[in-house]
Amino acid sequence: MQLSIIICSYNRASYIGEALNSLYQQTAGLDLFEVIVVDNNSTDNTEEVYTKWREEHLDGNFSYTTETKQGASFARNNGAKIAKGNWLCFMDDDAVATPDYVKNILKHISTHPAVVGFGGRIIPKYIPTEPKWMSYYVSSLVGNFDYAPTARPFEYGKYPLESNMIVSKAVFEQIGGFNTALPGVVGTLRIGGEGKELFFKILALGHTIYYDPSILVHHVVEVKKLTSEYMYRVASGIGRGERTRTKAISQKTYLLKIAEYIFKLGASIVLAMKYALQGNPAKSWPVIQFRIDALKGLLNN
């Protein structure tokens, strides 16, 4: 067993089957990896969907467990604790892996013997279509991530997203896993940045983090759910996570982060004006709103 793929799931019964199918249909042998679904207090029929799916797919190493402490960090840590693989892969329950996903992960490991952490590309799968107001600068809120056209190390300060990241289990345990003070989604509140902090800890140990675009998943995005309330929860959650992370370092670090967010807000206004002048006014305000909401979260509003 080389690889353990951990899927944290919360009320995604309508998605989890497609995620499991994408992993079951991998070009890599099913004996090379395991899949652990961690149900994080779902109130829908996620468990029923998984049980039925497993009854129809008896081969392969697929398992199901629960985590009662709410938050993705708790669930992912639980999955990592019981994982049998030397490598931990974290994938979202609304993600669909490409057929060579596992094959390319294992290839990256074999061709980069010194690597301890890396991540891949995420392409949103908009249902029904990408909204007119969506832009590159806002799409990160729905998981869009395309760092570079070829495999390469991340520049300092850059890192993979939680929905498509791989890390050595030994190093994961060495740094204590995900910080549960950054739990992700807890009810209607979001405190994000758990992946960022994890990779910053890995960088602090002197390691290099890699990006490989061949390690690709599609992220299902239902456009009807992209309400202003939803976008606020995601954007403000980024700010709340940065508030928690930077305050744990020092008050000065937190104040510098506030200054950075104010600068980014100013830059977003300039960018919005550019979109308007280019004849894309629908893309203008969402760029500004993203930065306002993130700043609100940083200021604990």
Side-chain angles (χ1 to χ4, degrees):
M1 187 71 64
Q2 298 186 53
L3 179 69
S4 296
I5 302 176
I6 299 166
I7 302 176
C8 168
S9 188
Y10 176 65
N11 288 343
R12 293 289 177 80
S14 58
Y15 298 106
I16 193 67
E18 189 173 6
L20 290 169
N21 282 336
S22 71
L23 295 173
Y24 184 79
Q25 297 165 0
Q26 289 294 300
T27 55
L30 291 175
D31 60 319
L32 297 179
F33 66 98
E34 67 173 342
V35 177
I36 303 170
V37 176
V38 185
D39 188 339
N40 195 201
N41 295 319
S42 294
T43 56
D44 63 4
N45 61 330
T46 293
E47 183 175 6
E48 179 183 342
V49 169
Y50 172 82
T51 300
K52 183 178 180 181
W53 182 91
R54 188 58 173 145
E55 290 173 350
E56 298 171 352
H57 304 80
L58 296 176
D59 52 338
N61 303 292
F62 291 80
S63 61
Y64 176 95
T65 189
T66 58
E67 172 54 59
T68 57
K69 292 181 180 179
Q70 196 66 51
S73 291
F74 291 106
R76 291 179 180 132
N77 286 346
N78 187 353
K81 184 177 180 180
I82 63 178
K84 300 174 183 176
N86 295 323
W87 289 86
L88 307 174
C89 170
F90 298 96
M91 192 180 101
D92 278 1
D93 53 1
D94 55 358
V96 179
T98 52
D100 289 335
Y101 184 66
V102 171
K103 176 183 175 181
N104 289 335
I105 289 174
L106 298 178
K107 180 181 178 182
H108 188 96
I109 293 170
S110 65
T111 55
H112 297 80
V115 71
V116 299
F118 55 102
R121 187 181 180 193
I122 305 170
I123 301 177
K125 180 182 178 181
Y126 294 101
I127 299 175
T129 58
E130 181 178 335
K132 292 181 179 180
W133 53 264
M134 185 62 69
S135 67
Y136 170 80
Y137 298 95
V138 178
S139 63
S140 61
L141 295 178
V142 296
N144 183 44
F145 189 71
D146 187 7
Y147 181 71
T150 58
R152 65 183 62 183
F154 279 99
E155 296 177 1
Y156 186 79
K158 303 295 184 179
Y159 47 88
L161 294 190
E162 294 92 343
S163 54
N164 189 11
M165 53 181 280
I166 304 96
V167 61
S168 157
K169 186 176 183 180
V171 170
F172 184 86
E173 292 175 342
Q174 180 183 357
I175 61 178
F178 288 102
N179 181 359
T180 53
L182 303 170
V185 178
V186 181
T188 59
L189 183 68
R190 185 181 183 93
I191 306 175
E194 64 273 23
K196 178 177 183 177
E197 192 198 46
L198 182 135
F199 279 110
F200 275 20
K201 286 181 178 179
I202 293 176
L203 289 171
L205 294 176
H207 298 292
T208 300
I209 307 300
Y210 284 81
Y211 173 78
D212 191 334
S214 72
I215 301 169
L216 171 63
V217 300
H218 294 272
H219 177 225
V220 178
V221 180
E222 289 190 66
V223 174
K224 66 181 181 181
K225 294 183 179 180
L226 301 182
T227 62
S228 57
E229 292 79 11
Y230 173 84
M231 300 300 280
Y232 169 76
R233 286 199 301 271
V234 178
S236 64
I238 295 172
R240 287 191 194 93
E242 283 297 87
R243 176 185 174 87
T244 301
R245 185 185 69 83
T246 55
K247 274 184 166 289
I249 299 172
S250 69
Q251 183 68 10
K252 179 181 178 181
T253 303
Y254 172 59
L255 293 175
L256 287 173
K257 183 59 65 174
I258 292 176
E260 177 189 325
Y261 270 38
I262 292 173
F263 173 81
K264 287 183 176 180
L265 175 57
S268 73
I269 295 172
V270 174
L271 181 61
M273 293 174 61
K274 181 179 178 181
Y275 276 130
L277 292 172
Q278 291 176 339
N280 294 310
K283 296 183 178 183
S284 296
W285 180 248
V287 175
I288 299 174
Q289 190 67 62
F290 171 18
R291 290 301 167 187
I292 292 175
D293 292 344
L295 181 58
K296 284 182 177 179
L298 183 66
L299 298 175
N300 202 27
N301 293 325

